[in-house]
């Protein structure tokens, strides 16, 4: 059964993607990401196991948020800081390999809190909600490479919903946290994650479930989105 997701958030109109790439014939890597988010202090920490489209012989460059510390867990891999951009909020690293590798695991942690009310925002972790996208550089981002992913997220906020651009496998709401699992089997050029105290509405029709997540209760608005979804 397919499920379609819409997420409406207060800041959605001012966020933009990082890179614009042509999908044809680009390498497709698989990212297995484990992420913990603490909205109260605007912080996150995680690990990403990256399986490359084909073995890498020498080096690759990647981007990460300017407030995020990144390190390698894989032996035989070194990271060199190349530059930082205050304008776009990223750091650029060179990742070099002592031998040909098909996989590498990176660890990363830091604070992302770019207040959208100050102007154009590059991402936000707050007690009101979480918005992260490719241009947030919240996880290692490789330019001109598409990704498939397996994303498991723990958010220290009970009752919240988590949304990503893929298929939702499971959501578990515990006393002090929300656990969510998403996968993408289709190559993506954007990798976003949103979380917050959404109100969830859903309706099944012809074997397809349309699900709408809103910031506040609004059955009439939810029905409009559900009807539009089922019309496709």
């Amino acid at each position: 059964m397919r499920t379609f997701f819409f997420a409406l958030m207060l800041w959605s109109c001012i966020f933009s993607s990082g890179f614009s790439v042509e999908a044809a014939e680009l390498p497709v890597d698989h990212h297995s990401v484990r992420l913990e988010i603490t909205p109260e202090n605007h912080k996150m920490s995680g690990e990403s196991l990256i399986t490359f489209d084909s073995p890498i012989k020498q080096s690759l460059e990647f981007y990460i948020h300017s407030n995020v510390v990144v390190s390698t867990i894989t032996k035989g891999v070194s990271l060199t800081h190349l530059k930082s951009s205050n304008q776009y909020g990223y750091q650029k690293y060179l990742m070099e390999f002592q031998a040909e590798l098909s996989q590498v695991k990176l660890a990363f942690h830091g604070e992302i809190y770019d207040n959208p009310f100050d102007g154009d925002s590059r991402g936000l972790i707050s007690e009101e909600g979480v918005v992260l996208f490719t241009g947030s550089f919240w996880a290692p981002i490789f330019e001109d490479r598409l990704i498939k992913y397996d994303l498991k997220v723990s958010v220290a906020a009970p009752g919240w919903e988590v949304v990503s651009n893929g298929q939702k496998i499971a959501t578990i709401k515990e006393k002090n946290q929300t656990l969510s699992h998403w996968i993408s089997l289709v190559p993506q050029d954007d990798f976003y994650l949103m979380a917050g105290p959404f109100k969830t509405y859903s309706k099944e029709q012809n074997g397809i479930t349309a699900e709408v997540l809103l910031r506040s209760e609004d059955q009439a608005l939810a029905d409009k989105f559900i009807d539009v979804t089922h019309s496709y």
Side-chain angles (χ1 to χ4, degrees):
M1 182 182 297
R2 293 179 295 169
T3 306
F4 293 85
F5 295 89
F6 285 89
L8 303 182
M9 295 192 71
L10 177 62
W11 318 287
S12 60
C13 64
I14 59 174
F15 289 111
S16 58
S17 298
F19 300 117
S20 176
V21 299
E22 295 295 334
E25 299 183 2
L26 289 178
V28 180
D29 303 325
H30 185 272
H31 294 231
S32 182
V33 181
R34 304 296 177 261
L35 189 69
E36 296 182 358
I37 297 176
T38 310
E40 183 179 6
N41 59 18
H42 314 146
K43 292 183 179 181
M44 61 155 201
S45 63
E47 293 182 355
S48 182
L49 176 63
I50 303 161
T51 302
F52 298 113
D53 180 270
S54 59
I56 304 298
K57 297 180 180 180
Q58 294 182 335
S59 65
L60 277 178
E61 295 178 356
F62 70 89
Y63 300 82
I64 195 78
H65 192 279
S66 57
N67 291 339
V68 172
V69 177
V70 61
S71 60
T72 175
I73 298 175
T74 304
K75 293 182 179 179
V77 176
S78 63
L79 303 181
T80 303
H81 183 270
L82 297 178
K83 69 174 183 178
S84 298
S85 171
N86 293 328
Q87 180 180 1
Y88 296 108
Y90 68 73
Q91 305 171 76
K92 187 176 184 179
Y93 279 86
L94 175 67
M95 182 166 57
E96 296 180 286
F97 306 88
Q98 293 182 3
E100 184 177 273
L101 288 177
S102 297
Q103 285 187 330
V104 64
K105 180 180 280 191
L106 299 176
F108 51 95
H109 65 89
E111 176 181 331
I112 299 180
Y113 186 74
D114 189 3
N115 194 325
F117 299 107
D118 292 338
D120 189 24
S121 176
R122 308 304 299 181
L124 182 73
I125 298 174
S126 77
E127 293 178 279
E128 294 183 351
V130 176
V131 180
L132 302 172
F133 52 99
T134 300
S136 304
F137 307 104
W138 59 277
I141 299 295
F142 296 83
E143 191 171 7
D144 294 337
R145 301 180 73 89
L146 302 179
I147 70 169
K148 297 179 181 180
Y149 64 83
D150 182 304
L151 172 64
K152 291 184 178 180
V153 185
S154 169
V155 182
W160 278 25
E161 295 284 350
V162 177
V163 184
S164 186
N165 52 327
Q167 177 184 353
K168 182 170 69 172
I169 301 302
T171 295
I172 301 173
K173 295 182 180 181
E174 299 182 345
K175 182 178 180 180
N176 298 315
Q177 65 178 345
T178 296
L179 308 174
S180 190
H181 183 194
W182 291 75
I183 64 171
S184 172
L185 301 178
V186 177
Q188 307 279 340
D189 64 359
D190 193 12
F191 190 15
Y192 72 77
L193 185 156
M194 294 188 288
F198 296 121
K199 306 299 180 182
T200 304
Y201 303 85
S202 64
K203 180 181 179 181
E204 183 180 345
Q205 181 176 311
N206 299 324
I208 298 176
T209 299
E211 185 167 300
V212 178
L213 293 89
L214 303 180
R215 289 287 296 179
S216 59
E217 293 186 12
D218 192 331
Q219 184 68 58
L221 180 60
D223 288 342
K224 289 181 181 179
F225 276 99
I226 288 173
D227 290 342
V228 168
T229 302
H230 281 307
S231 69
Y232 284 97

